[in-house]
Amino acid sequence: MKNGKTINSFFFLFFFTILFMAIPSLTTIHADTRFIVNTGHQGEVTDMRVQQSSDRLVSVGKDGTLRVWDMKRDRLLDHIQIGHRPIEMLQLHPRKSIAAVLEVSENDGYILSVWNWEKERKLFSRELNEKPLYLSFSRQGSYLIYSLPQWRSIRILDADSGLVMPYLQNGFGIVSFFLTNSSETTLMAYTTQGRVLYLGIENGKQIRVVEGLPESLKTIFLTSSSRYACGYRDGKLFLFDIYDRNRPVELETPLFRDATYHQESDTFFGIVSNKDSSTSNSEVKINQYNLDPSGKTIELQNEILLQSSTNGTLTANSDSLFTTGNDGEIYRFQHQTKSNALFSDNALRPIYNLGLKDSKLFLATSNSILTLETEAFAKPAEQLLDTEEVNLAEYLLPWQKGETGLQLSNRDTLFVWRETGNEGKLMEFDTEKGKPIFGPINTPRGISDVEPSGRNFIILENNGRIKRIEPASFFPLNEIVESIPEKAVSFQYLAIGAQTILQTDSRTLLVGKNRSQRFRDPLLKINLNTGETIPISGNMNSIYELVMNDRNKSLFSIGMRETSSGKISTTLNRHTLYNPGQQREIFSYDGRDSNASMVFDDTSDRLYFTIGYNSLHYFDGRRSKDFPVAGDVIPRQLAVNEEYLISLNRDSTVSLWDKDRMQNLVTFYLFKDGRWLAVFGSEGYFGSPGIEDRITVVQDGKPLPSFRNSRFRLGDR
């Protein structure tokens, strides 16, 4: 497979066997114990800051998390899920374990919030219509100050309560940088018109104005002398006097993607990306400039070559530079050793889909199917930790990249397909024998959905083309079929904007879709024998998830609806199966949630669903119930059996839930290096040998020395 050859056999790679030991008394574990899993952000790191007073590096990212790192020991100390939307700005309190973050809100605005990361507590938050140009705590941390792109630019908040302070009510220009003095009585503000103003904070009195400075500087840093500042724009670096109008020093530079400044050494660092047009390769480097604190010279001292994946976020402390990559990587360049090493990365293996069949859990990665099999899935929660073997096996798929879809059929088979890319691939597996029934077969487009249909199946391609395939017509099936033979397609239909399909009986297919010019309704009912199509009217703009309760002939849908005010809500509706146009709203979330899912549990007659990002829900036929989710677990996809609900979470972890109490019993972490970890709330953990390097144990908000981690390993005490 690695050489691109056809796979004709089934490869199981047994990575490990987990042994759940009967656990002795847990009374030795402190009540306030947390297990922080040492892994980086999912996706891009958007901002980083060094808190010199604590020797901590704090980072935020598009995954909505704030992470606190011990720079001396290169380990994660804390992790807070601020929200589900990207965080774009970060500032730290000068002395306390407090961070201010700016995240994108549901209504295309912003939310400014302040958090105590040791206590995992939000102190306050404010909604903003515009993104601040600059954000900072005052010198002693009494105020949180931000500037908006308005003439009255400055806003000052009490840093403890978030109360708006009645200071600097009069406008004086758009401020892109500011600083308070050590007594917090005076504010120095730089406006984009090239002016520096010194103002009394409480009385607003103008103390001094310096005009004629460089205009529209992107980022400004104060030198160690506090008399001069530097800033850059359009390929120029400026060093200028902020107290008198003197001619600034200028130096031509490359265009910087980001920049930072180390004040103690008066060193400016700018990150540069040069693309080679002949090879399409990018060279990423950091230019290091020495600045004369008396404002006389700027000199290029060094050029530091970096990994090409560096995306441009940059910060520094006394001995190191920190840069970031595209998938959670943070790199550390140490000045003394001239070494550039990986400080942290997203160590978790990406998982895109899951399915649960009796004692087997199936997980889809970008290039494989993982099977986790254990009798524990069929035992009550109180017996979960009895001695059990859990086998993890892996089947390598004939594709390397993209998201992988997964769907169980009622014939003990599993459909697996490639969702992304210009070309789709599809396979079917026998879940009992552990070998493929057919495939892989190629399709001209990526596949959005697969619906089992007796011994046949129906596929939905990304372009809206629906096809019913009869695989028996193109045996032998253990080889790649370059294209599906025409004789194998017994039905096809083009539904522009189709997102999901559901077969309700032998001749009826329901299609959830976006509204299109041809059919304005988001639900279609198609006769698979005649091709007759009936649009189903409704108030939804789109439907992307359909589930049926065959027992009482109910249909459930999840989709988006635009309100009369123009806002988008994500809604769960219940329909009558024989007349889907009759619907009742069960639940609505104010905002977009395009990855919500649902699953129906036949044993309890409950519909479990994940609309929204901070709760699990179920509908019992009369009303819906909400269960807030603690910590950093954001359930996305669901599977269920008689005993448990299992969620695939946003960060690719997998959680096992008590269905009645909606309690998270255990969360599994699968790492890219093949190791694994199972965390049982605050009780303890199991894991691969040596997994302690991936765990930070925190008690009463304080990290314990790493050598004490093993005492929390269940079964070892």
Side-chain angles (χ1 to χ4, degrees):
M1 183 192 65
K2 292 181 180 179
N3 298 320
K5 298 180 180 179
T6 301
I7 298 178
N8 295 316
S9 59
F10 191 68
F11 297 95
F12 265 121
L13 305 179
F14 287 91
F15 276 103
F16 55 77
T17 298
I18 308 172
L19 188 63
F20 283 129
M21 304 296 294
I23 299 178
S25 172
L26 298 174
T27 56
T28 57
I29 294 183
H30 197 285
D32 184 22
T33 302
R34 297 170 54 230
F35 298 95
I36 307 297
V37 179
N38 189 5
T39 181
H41 292 271
Q42 270 197 321
E44 185 180 337
V45 179
T46 54
D47 205 354
M48 296 183 296
R49 303 286 168 179
V50 171
Q51 189 180 56
Q52 303 290 356
S53 61
S54 64
D55 209 25
R56 300 289 186 253
L57 174 71
V58 183
S59 61
V60 293
K62 286 189 173 180
D63 59 358
T65 67
L66 178 145
R67 296 171 190 260
V68 183
W69 306 88
D70 184 334
M71 292 190 292
K72 290 183 178 179
R73 297 174 178 83
D74 291 7
R75 66 169 178 165
L76 184 67
L77 296 178
D78 224 325
H79 168 237
I80 301 176
Q81 188 74 49
I82 302 297
H84 65 278
R85 299 181 69 83
I87 300 174
E88 296 194 352
M89 296 178 74
L90 166 71
Q91 280 291 354
L92 305 181
H93 192 283
R95 296 186 310 276
K96 299 179 182 178
S97 301
I98 290 175
V101 298
L102 184 79
E103 59 182 313
V104 180
S105 69
E106 294 285 358
N107 56 2
D108 297 324
Y110 298 88
I111 298 175
L112 174 63
S113 58
V114 175
W115 296 75
N116 183 311
W117 68 70
E118 284 189 353
K119 297 180 179 179
E120 289 192 284
R121 183 165 61 91
K122 181 167 68 174
L123 304 182
F124 63 85
S125 65
R126 291 182 60 83
E127 293 189 6
L128 306 179
N129 294 324
E130 298 176 281
K131 182 178 180 178
L133 296 176
Y134 192 67
L135 170 71
S136 181
F137 284 92
S138 58
R139 192 72 66 91
Q140 302 300 326
S142 302
Y143 304 123
L144 177 64
I145 309 173
Y146 60 94
S147 62
L148 297 173
Q150 302 172 4
W151 184 255
R152 188 196 159 229
S153 187
I154 293 291
R155 304 291 191 274
I156 301 179
L157 309 179
D158 180 275
D160 294 324
S161 65
L163 181 68
V164 179
M165 307 303 290
Y167 303 151
L168 301 181
Q169 298 289 316
N170 297 323
F172 49 84
I174 298 174
V175 176
S176 60
F177 175 78
F178 53 81
L179 189 70
T180 69
N181 63 352
S182 58
S183 62
E184 300 181 331
T185 57
T186 303
L187 180 85
M188 186 274 283
Y190 166 86
T191 71
T192 55
Q193 294 86 4
R195 303 167 70 215
V196 168
L197 296 92
Y198 293 83
L199 304 159
I201 291 179
E202 294 189 9
N203 58 25
K205 182 179 177 180
Q206 185 172 294
I207 301 170
R208 191 181 186 89
V209 179
V210 182
E211 301 193 29
L213 301 176
E215 299 179 1
S216 303
L217 296 180
K218 285 188 175 180
T219 305
I220 294 177
F221 305 98
L222 203 63
T223 65
S224 61
S225 68
S226 299
R227 173 69 184 259
Y228 293 87
C230 68
Y232 70 95
R233 71 154 197 261
D234 303 330
K236 279 189 177 181
L237 182 59
F238 297 87
L239 179 61
F240 56 96
D241 191 332
I242 60 172
Y243 204 71
D244 272 319
R245 182 180 176 180
N246 294 317
R247 183 179 178 85
V249 178
E250 300 180 17
L251 181 68
E252 296 284 343
T253 68
L255 294 175
F256 298 128
R257 288 164 54 181
D258 194 23
T260 191
Y261 192 80
H262 185 244
Q263 192 179 57
E264 293 178 5
S265 62
D266 282 306
T267 307
F268 177 94
F269 301 95
I271 191 165
V272 181
S273 178
N274 296 320
K275 192 167 185 177
D276 187 338
S277 58
S278 62
T279 63
S280 298
N281 293 327
S282 293
E283 179 187 67
V284 182
K285 63 181 181 179
I286 293 176
N287 284 6
Q288 178 180 337
Y289 300 87
N290 282 352
L291 278 68
D292 180 1
S294 63
K296 296 178 180 178
T297 60
I298 306 173
E299 293 181 351
L300 176 63
Q301 182 188 28
N302 193 16
E303 293 183 351
I304 305 165
L305 193 64
L306 301 176
Q307 284 85 351
S308 59
S309 61
T310 302
N311 67 20
T313 303
L314 185 63
T315 194
N317 70 345
S318 58
D319 63 359
S320 301
L321 276 172
F322 294 91
T323 61
T324 63
N326 295 318
D327 188 23
E329 301 96 344
I330 298 178
Y331 301 101
R332 182 177 193 169
F333 177 83
Q334 294 184 302
H335 301 300
Q336 185 174 2
T337 62
K338 306 297 182 184
S339 62
N340 191 26
L342 186 66
F343 178 79
S344 76
D345 67 340
N346 177 15
L348 295 178
R349 193 168 187 180
I351 300 174
Y352 300 105
N353 279 283
L354 84 166
L356 182 62
K357 179 69 174 178
D358 300 326
S359 61
K360 291 182 179 180
L361 176 67
F362 302 94
L363 303 171
T365 77
S366 59
N367 65 348
S368 68
I369 296 298
L370 300 171
T371 304
L372 194 152
E373 183 176 9
T374 173
E375 294 180 1
F377 288 153
K379 290 190 173 185
E382 57 270 17
Q383 300 178 24
L384 181 64
L385 296 177
D386 289 347
T387 303
E388 294 289 345
E389 282 191 352
V390 179
N391 292 323
L392 178 68
E394 181 173 30
Y395 176 78
L396 300 179
L397 296 169
W399 56 83
Q400 294 295 319
K401 296 180 180 180
E403 298 184 11
T404 299
L406 182 153
Q407 176 66 56
L408 286 162
S409 76
N410 56 7
R411 298 187 294 110
D412 292 327
T413 67
L414 178 72
F415 288 96
V416 180
W417 65 91
R418 184 181 181 183
E419 292 185 334
T420 54
N422 296 326
E423 183 183 65
K425 292 182 182 292
L426 176 67
M427 305 180 74
E428 184 180 13
F429 295 99
D430 187 318
T431 59
E432 294 299 322
K433 297 179 180 179
K435 64 180 182 179
I437 298 173
F438 74 79
I441 60 174
N442 292 340
T443 62
R445 301 276 184 172
I447 299 173
S448 299
D449 201 1
V450 174
E451 178 71 2
S453 178
R455 294 191 174 276
N456 305 320
F457 58 91
I458 303 171
I459 65 172
L460 170 63
E461 296 178 350
N462 291 346
N463 63 350
R465 178 70 64 180
I466 299 169
K467 298 176 182 178
R468 182 170 61 186
I469 312 298
E470 297 179 358
S473 63
F474 55 95
F475 279 103
L477 296 170
N478 60 344
E479 296 181 358
I480 293 179
V481 179
E482 294 300 329
S483 62
I484 300 174
E486 290 186 9
K487 64 180 181 179
V489 182
S490 61
F491 172 87
Q492 64 176 309
Y493 182 89
L494 181 62
I496 302 298
Q499 299 188 72
T500 186
I501 53 178
L502 175 68
Q503 186 172 4
T504 59
D505 56 46
S506 61
R507 63 180 184 179
T508 305
L509 183 73
L510 293 178
V511 181
K513 56 185 287 294
N514 295 320
R515 288 180 172 176
S516 64
Q517 192 170 11
R518 183 179 179 187
F519 291 115
R520 297 292 297 168
D521 298 295
L523 191 61
L524 299 180
K525 185 176 181 180
I526 302 176
N527 188 309
L528 291 170
N529 296 330
T530 66
E532 178 187 9
T533 302
I534 302 174
I536 307 299
S537 61
N539 63 351
M540 304 297 291
N541 292 75
S542 67
I543 290 176
Y544 63 84
E545 187 89 354
L546 293 168
V547 165
M548 179 178 64
N549 177 5
D550 193 48
R551 184 179 303 174
N552 62 15
K553 306 304 178 184
S554 292
L555 173 73
F556 297 92
S557 69
I558 296 178
M560 306 285 189
R561 177 170 59 87
E562 186 174 357
T563 65
S564 57
S565 62
K567 294 184 178 181
I568 298 296
S569 64
T570 305
T571 303
L572 169 67
N573 288 318
R574 181 181 186 179
H575 310 252
T576 303
L577 187 60
Y578 295 117
N579 184 8
Q582 292 184 354
Q583 66 181 48
R584 169 195 163 197
E585 183 179 298
I586 302 300
F587 183 87
S588 185
Y589 165 74
D590 292 334
R592 298 177 184 270
D593 187 356
S594 57
N595 295 312
S597 69
M598 56 183 166
V599 63
F600 189 80
D601 180 19
D602 291 327
T603 60
S604 64
D605 279 337
R606 290 176 179 173
L607 180 80
Y608 294 93
F609 58 98
T610 63
I611 299 177
Y613 296 89
N614 57 1
S615 296
L616 269 173
H617 321 267
Y618 72 71
F619 175 68
D620 62 7
R622 298 185 303 275
R623 61 186 180 275
S624 63
K625 294 185 178 181
D626 307 334
F627 297 88
V629 176
D632 56 353
V633 173
I634 301 181
R636 295 286 75 198
Q637 297 189 44
L638 300 174
V640 68
N641 66 7
E642 292 186 4
E643 294 293 337
Y644 300 107
L645 179 71
I646 296 183
S647 68
L648 173 59
N649 305 318
R650 188 183 181 187
D651 61 356
S652 290
T653 59
V654 177
S655 295
L656 188 71
W657 302 81
D658 184 303
K659 290 195 302 183
D660 294 325
R661 295 178 294 168
M662 296 302 288
Q663 178 185 357
N664 186 350
L665 301 174
V666 57
T667 295
F668 294 93
Y669 300 78
L670 301 179
F671 296 95
K672 293 175 182 176
D673 62 7
R675 294 188 295 168
W676 61 276
L677 174 67
V679 177
F680 289 78
S682 62
E683 294 183 341
Y685 67 90
F686 288 123
S688 299
I691 199 63
E692 281 71 23
D693 68 330
R694 285 290 179 188
I695 301 171
T696 300
V697 182
V698 178
Q699 285 188 343
D700 293 328
K702 303 295 183 182
L704 299 182
S706 57
F707 68 85
R708 295 181 60 186
N709 285 358
S710 59
R711 66 187 288 260
F712 299 96
R713 189 180 182 100
L714 300 178
D716 289 352
R717 295 191 305 280

